[in-house]
Amino acid sequence: MVKKKKVSDPKVVSPPPPTLGRKRDPSLDISIMNAALEILAEEGFDGMTMDQIATKVGTGKAACYRRWPSKLKLVKDALIWMNRNQLELEKIPDTGSLRNDFLALLKPHSMEEANAKLRILGGLGTFWLDEEIETKGITEIFGPWMEVNRTLMQRAMERGEISKKANVELVCKVMNSMATYRALIERKPPDKSLFIALIDQVVMPALKYPG
Protein backbone atom coordinates (compact mmCIF):
# COMPACT_ATOMS: atom_id res chain seq x y z
CA MET A 1 0.00 0.00 0.00
CA VAL A 2 1.35 3.35 -1.05
CA LYS A 3 1.11 5.95 1.64
CA LYS A 4 -0.23 9.27 0.53
CA LYS A 5 2.09 12.11 1.04
CA LYS A 6 0.75 14.48 3.64
CA VAL A 7 0.50 17.96 2.28
CA SER A 8 1.68 20.36 4.90
CA ASP A 9 -0.43 23.44 5.62
CA PRO A 10 0.88 26.57 3.99
CA LYS A 11 2.67 28.87 6.37
CA VAL A 12 0.63 31.76 7.63
CA VAL A 13 2.71 34.84 7.18
CA SER A 14 1.90 37.64 9.60
CA PRO A 15 1.54 41.03 7.97
CA PRO A 16 4.33 43.45 8.74
CA PRO A 17 3.60 45.96 11.49
CA PRO A 18 2.14 49.22 10.20
CA THR A 19 4.69 51.86 9.45
CA LEU A 20 4.12 54.81 11.71
CA GLY A 21 4.14 58.25 10.22
CA ARG A 22 6.38 60.99 11.42
CA LYS A 23 5.46 62.12 14.92
CA ARG A 24 3.78 65.48 15.15
CA ASP A 25 6.23 68.18 16.18
CA PRO A 26 4.65 70.54 18.76
CA SER A 27 7.28 73.18 18.03
CA LEU A 28 6.12 73.26 14.40
CA ASP A 29 2.55 73.82 15.58
CA ILE A 30 3.69 76.87 17.52
CA SER A 31 5.78 78.16 14.61
CA ILE A 32 2.78 77.87 12.29
CA MET A 33 0.48 79.69 14.72
CA ASN A 34 3.07 82.42 15.28
CA ALA A 35 3.46 82.88 11.53
CA ALA A 36 -0.32 83.05 11.13
CA LEU A 37 -0.53 85.81 13.74
CA GLU A 38 2.30 87.79 12.15
CA ILE A 39 0.77 87.59 8.67
CA LEU A 40 -2.65 88.35 10.11
CA ALA A 41 -1.26 91.58 11.57
CA GLU A 42 0.32 92.50 8.22
CA GLU A 43 -2.22 91.29 5.64
CA GLY A 44 -5.44 90.74 7.55
CA PHE A 45 -7.48 87.53 7.49
CA ASP A 46 -8.82 88.06 3.99
CA GLY A 47 -5.38 88.71 2.51
CA MET A 48 -3.46 85.88 4.17
CA THR A 49 -3.03 82.41 2.64
CA MET A 50 -1.80 79.04 3.84
CA ASP A 51 0.99 79.32 1.25
CA GLN A 52 2.25 82.51 2.92
CA ILE A 53 2.19 80.86 6.33
CA ALA A 54 4.05 77.77 5.11
CA THR A 55 6.67 79.91 3.38
CA LYS A 56 7.23 82.02 6.48
CA VAL A 57 7.72 78.91 8.62
CA GLY A 58 9.86 77.16 6.00
CA THR A 59 7.65 74.10 5.72
CA GLY A 60 5.25 72.64 3.17
CA LYS A 61 1.62 73.72 2.88
CA ALA A 62 0.62 70.08 3.47
CA ALA A 63 2.12 70.28 6.98
CA CYS A 64 -0.26 73.15 7.74
CA TYR A 65 -3.28 71.33 6.35
CA ARG A 66 -2.44 68.15 8.28
CA ARG A 67 -2.87 70.16 11.44
CA TRP A 68 -5.67 72.52 10.43
CA PRO A 69 -8.14 71.74 7.62
CA SER A 70 -8.71 75.42 6.88
CA LYS A 71 -7.25 78.88 7.35
CA LEU A 72 -10.20 79.80 9.56
CA LYS A 73 -9.58 76.97 12.03
CA LEU A 74 -5.87 77.77 12.13
CA VAL A 75 -6.55 81.43 12.91
CA LYS A 76 -9.06 80.51 15.62
CA ASP A 77 -6.55 78.21 17.35
CA ALA A 78 -3.78 80.80 16.95
CA LEU A 79 -5.93 83.43 18.68
CA ILE A 80 -6.76 81.03 21.54
CA TRP A 81 -3.07 80.16 21.86
CA MET A 82 -2.13 83.86 21.88
CA ASN A 83 -4.49 84.53 24.79
CA ARG A 84 -3.37 81.46 26.73
CA ASN A 85 0.26 82.38 26.19
CA GLN A 86 -0.31 85.87 27.57
CA LEU A 87 -2.00 84.60 30.71
CA GLU A 88 0.33 81.82 31.94
CA LEU A 89 -2.53 79.68 33.23
CA GLU A 90 -0.20 77.66 35.43
CA LYS A 91 0.61 80.84 37.41
CA ILE A 92 -2.81 82.28 38.25
CA PRO A 93 -2.46 85.06 40.88
CA ASP A 94 -3.55 84.25 44.43
CA THR A 95 -2.99 87.39 46.52
CA GLY A 96 -5.87 86.84 48.92
CA SER A 97 -7.81 89.76 47.45
CA LEU A 98 -9.96 89.54 44.32
CA ARG A 99 -9.21 93.11 43.27
CA ASN A 100 -5.47 92.55 43.62
CA ASP A 101 -5.75 89.23 41.76
CA PHE A 102 -7.43 91.02 38.84
CA LEU A 103 -4.74 93.72 38.84
CA ALA A 104 -1.99 91.07 38.98
CA LEU A 105 -3.24 89.77 35.64
CA LEU A 106 -2.24 93.05 34.01
CA LYS A 107 1.19 92.66 32.49
CA PRO A 108 3.31 95.46 31.10
CA HIS A 109 3.43 95.15 27.32
CA SER A 110 5.57 97.18 25.01
CA MET A 111 3.77 99.55 22.67
CA GLU A 112 4.95 97.38 19.78
CA GLU A 113 3.32 94.26 21.25
CA ALA A 114 0.10 96.11 22.06
CA ASN A 115 -0.12 97.54 18.55
CA ALA A 116 0.61 94.12 17.00
CA LYS A 117 -2.27 92.54 18.95
CA LEU A 118 -4.51 95.43 17.95
CA ARG A 119 -3.65 94.89 14.28
CA ILE A 120 -4.32 91.16 14.64
CA LEU A 121 -7.79 91.66 16.13
CA GLY A 122 -8.56 94.55 13.80
CA GLY A 123 -7.59 92.56 10.72
CA LEU A 124 -9.93 89.60 11.24
CA GLY A 125 -12.44 90.88 8.68
CA THR A 126 -14.68 88.11 7.30
CA PHE A 127 -13.36 85.69 9.92
CA TRP A 128 -16.25 86.82 12.13
CA LEU A 129 -18.83 86.06 9.41
CA ASP A 130 -18.34 82.30 9.60
CA GLU A 131 -21.39 80.68 11.21
CA GLU A 132 -19.40 78.62 13.69
CA ILE A 133 -17.24 81.58 14.70
CA GLU A 134 -20.29 83.83 14.96
CA THR A 135 -22.10 81.47 17.33
CA LYS A 136 -19.31 80.39 19.66
CA GLY A 137 -16.02 81.69 18.29
CA ILE A 138 -15.67 84.70 20.59
CA THR A 139 -16.36 82.52 23.64
CA GLU A 140 -13.66 80.05 22.55
CA ILE A 141 -11.10 82.68 21.56
CA PHE A 142 -11.44 84.63 24.78
CA GLY A 143 -12.09 81.46 26.77
CA PRO A 144 -8.69 81.56 28.52
CA TRP A 145 -9.55 84.97 30.02
CA MET A 146 -12.96 83.72 31.13
CA GLU A 147 -11.36 80.64 32.64
CA VAL A 148 -8.94 82.70 34.72
CA ASN A 149 -11.51 85.30 35.79
CA ARG A 150 -13.93 82.52 36.78
CA THR A 151 -11.24 80.84 38.89
CA LEU A 152 -10.38 84.11 40.67
CA MET A 153 -14.05 84.83 41.45
CA GLN A 154 -14.73 81.30 42.69
CA ARG A 155 -11.78 81.60 45.06
CA ALA A 156 -13.12 84.93 46.34
CA MET A 157 -16.53 83.31 46.84
CA GLU A 158 -14.96 80.54 48.93
CA ARG A 159 -13.19 83.17 51.07
CA GLY A 160 -16.49 84.95 51.65
CA GLU A 161 -15.24 88.04 49.86
CA ILE A 162 -18.16 88.12 47.40
CA SER A 163 -21.73 86.83 47.47
CA LYS A 164 -22.15 83.09 46.99
CA LYS A 165 -25.04 83.94 44.68
CA ALA A 166 -23.06 86.40 42.55
CA ASN A 167 -23.60 85.93 38.82
CA VAL A 168 -20.02 84.96 38.00
CA GLU A 169 -20.77 83.90 34.41
CA LEU A 170 -22.44 87.21 33.59
CA VAL A 171 -19.52 89.18 35.04
CA CYS A 172 -17.08 87.07 32.96
CA LYS A 173 -19.04 87.96 29.83
CA VAL A 174 -19.14 91.66 30.72
CA MET A 175 -15.36 91.76 31.20
CA ASN A 176 -14.85 89.91 27.93
CA SER A 177 -17.24 92.18 26.08
CA MET A 178 -15.45 95.31 27.28
CA ALA A 179 -12.07 93.99 26.13
CA THR A 180 -13.56 92.98 22.76
CA TYR A 181 -15.27 96.35 22.30
CA ARG A 182 -12.04 98.16 23.11
CA ALA A 183 -10.06 96.19 20.51
CA LEU A 184 -12.58 95.65 17.71
CA ILE A 185 -14.79 98.73 17.87
CA GLU A 186 -12.63 101.47 19.35
CA ARG A 187 -9.47 100.03 17.77
CA LYS A 188 -7.43 100.97 20.83
CA PRO A 189 -4.79 98.96 22.74
CA PRO A 190 -5.43 97.70 26.29
CA ASP A 191 -5.65 100.52 28.81
CA LYS A 192 -4.77 99.95 32.47
CA SER A 193 -6.83 102.88 33.78
CA LEU A 194 -9.92 101.63 31.91
CA PHE A 195 -9.45 98.13 33.30
CA ILE A 196 -9.13 99.47 36.86
CA ALA A 197 -12.29 101.56 36.41
CA LEU A 198 -14.12 98.47 35.13
CA ILE A 199 -13.01 96.45 38.17
CA ASP A 200 -13.81 99.15 40.75
CA GLN A 201 -17.01 100.59 39.30
CA VAL A 202 -18.66 97.60 37.64
CA VAL A 203 -17.19 94.20 38.54
CA MET A 204 -16.61 94.46 42.30
CA PRO A 205 -19.97 96.15 43.05
CA ALA A 206 -21.81 93.54 40.94
CA LEU A 207 -20.16 90.66 42.80
CA LYS A 208 -21.08 91.98 46.23
CA TYR A 209 -24.77 91.38 45.60
CA PRO A 210 -26.73 88.23 44.70
CA GLY A 211 -27.24 87.61 40.98
Side-chain angles (χ1 to χ4, degrees), residues 3-4 6 13 69 113 130 140 149 177 187-188 202:
K3 288 186 179 180
K4 289 184 178 180
K6 188 176 179 182
V13 180
E113 289 175 324
D130 179 82
E140 291 178 336
N149 289 332
S177 298
R187 300 292 181 94
K188 294 179 180 178
V202 179

Side-chain angles (χ1 to χ4, degrees), residues 2-177:
V2 179
K3 288 186 179 180
K4 289 184 178 180
K5 239 181 164 184
K6 188 176 179 182
V7 179
S8 59
D9 294 328
K11 290 184 179 179
V12 177
V13 180
S14 300
T19 303
L20 297 177
R22 185 182 299 175
K23 289 185 179 179
R24 182 162 165 171
D25 180 3
S27 65
L28 183 56
D29 292 16
I30 293 173
S31 296
I32 292 171
M33 288 190 289
N34 259 328
L37 293 173
E38 289 176 18
I39 296 173
L40 191 59
E42 297 165 2
E43 305 288 341
F45 177 77
D46 298 323
M48 73 186 293
T49 65
M50 291 293 249
D51 282 309
Q52 289 174 319
I53 296 167
T55 299
K56 193 172 188 69
V57 175
T59 188
K61 186 169 63 172
C64 297
Y65 279 115
R66 275 199 300 271
R67 291 160 169 78
W68 293 278
S70 68
K71 178 178 73 170
L72 184 136
K73 291 186 182 299
L74 166 56
V75 168
K76 186 186 79 170
D77 282 356
L79 293 171
I80 295 171
W81 177 78
M82 177 181 72
N83 282 320
R84 284 190 173 275
N85 195 44
Q86 287 178 334
L87 280 169
E88 295 182 326
L89 296 178
E90 71 281 358
K91 298 178 183 177
I92 298 177
D94 190 4
T95 66
S97 158
L98 180 57
R99 183 181 186 275
N100 289 338
D101 284 346
F102 280 139
L103 296 180
L105 287 176
L106 292 177
K107 294 181 182 179
H109 293 289
S110 69
M111 185 60 68
E112 184 180 345
E113 289 175 324
N115 287 333
K117 184 173 182 180
L118 189 61
R119 289 196 303 273
I120 288 169
L121 296 176
L124 290 171
T126 59
F127 172 82
W128 297 117
L129 300 181
D130 179 82
E131 186 178 349
E132 181 183 342
I133 298 298
E134 191 177 7
T135 54
K136 58 182 180 179
I138 291 180
T139 302
E140 291 178 336
I141 290 166
F142 293 99
W145 284 97
M146 293 187 71
E147 182 181 335
V148 169
N149 289 332
R150 188 183 296 114
T151 298
L152 297 183
M153 286 185 266
Q154 286 171 344
R155 283 181 185 169
M157 195 177 286
E158 291 168 4
R159 291 194 300 264
E161 188 180 351
I162 62 175
S163 170
K164 289 191 179 298
K165 294 183 178 179
N167 195 332
V168 169
E169 292 305 310
L170 179 61
V171 172
C172 282
K173 290 177 182 177
V174 168
M175 295 175 75
N176 235 16
S177 298

